[in-house]
Amino acid sequence: MKLERSPFIVAAGDLSPGEHRDRTVRGHVEVELDGGRVDDDVEVIVRLTALADGVLAKGTGSFRATLICHRCLTEWEGQRSFEVLQVYQAAPDEDGRQLEADGSVDLEPVIHDEVVLDIPMAPLCRSDCRGLCAVCGTDLNTEPCSGHTDESDHPFAALRQLLDPQDT
Ligand SMILES: [Zn+2]
Ligand SMILES: [Zn+2]
């Protein structure tokens, strides 16, 4: 059985220095981070330009991500985008990536890295998100919490003891 060729691999071995090839590549990317997740097709419009000693990939990518508010845990979907600028070489220097044996370019690792970088570490649903009450879990954006003088008299505290009795 032959392994399916990645949709992110683009042939470039036939290009002479100075020539370029434009492609739109599309493939599935899955990423799970604290700030959000991606489980969607990523589309990248890329121009490959042959250099004397490699291939330059330059383009823009777009995808849909689900972001998770750092304070209130609300989730929302948004369209995201990123830039690709990467040199591929047969013998890569520290900024370069490895050309495939047939001279083609594998965009997958670059796209994966850019998607990960584009997801904020601590997204906020809005800049003044008030978050959740640390005691009762009330979403303080939608409901005021009257405050807790004694945590033990709250129904959530009793529930927490039931679920985890040794943590008292
Ligand atoms: Zn929020
Ligand atoms: Zn509360």
Side-chain angles (χ1 to χ4, degrees), residues 41-69:
D41 278 359
V42 173
E43 185 177 281
V44 182
I45 299 167
V46 66
R47 167 167 289 190
L48 303 179
T49 304
L51 311 171
D53 65 338
V55 176
L56 174 70
K58 187 176 190 305
T60 55
S62 60
F63 63 101
R64 243 184 16 232
T66 301
L67 298 187
I68 305 162
C69 178

Side-chain angles (χ1 to χ4, degrees), residues 138-161:
T138 296
D139 184 345
L140 300 176
N141 295 303
T142 52
E143 276 174 84
C145 168
S146 48
H148 310 276
T149 45
D150 180 3
E151 190 181 336
S152 62
D153 66 17
H154 196 279
F156 269 66
L159 185 68
R160 201 178 302 141
Q161 276 183 28

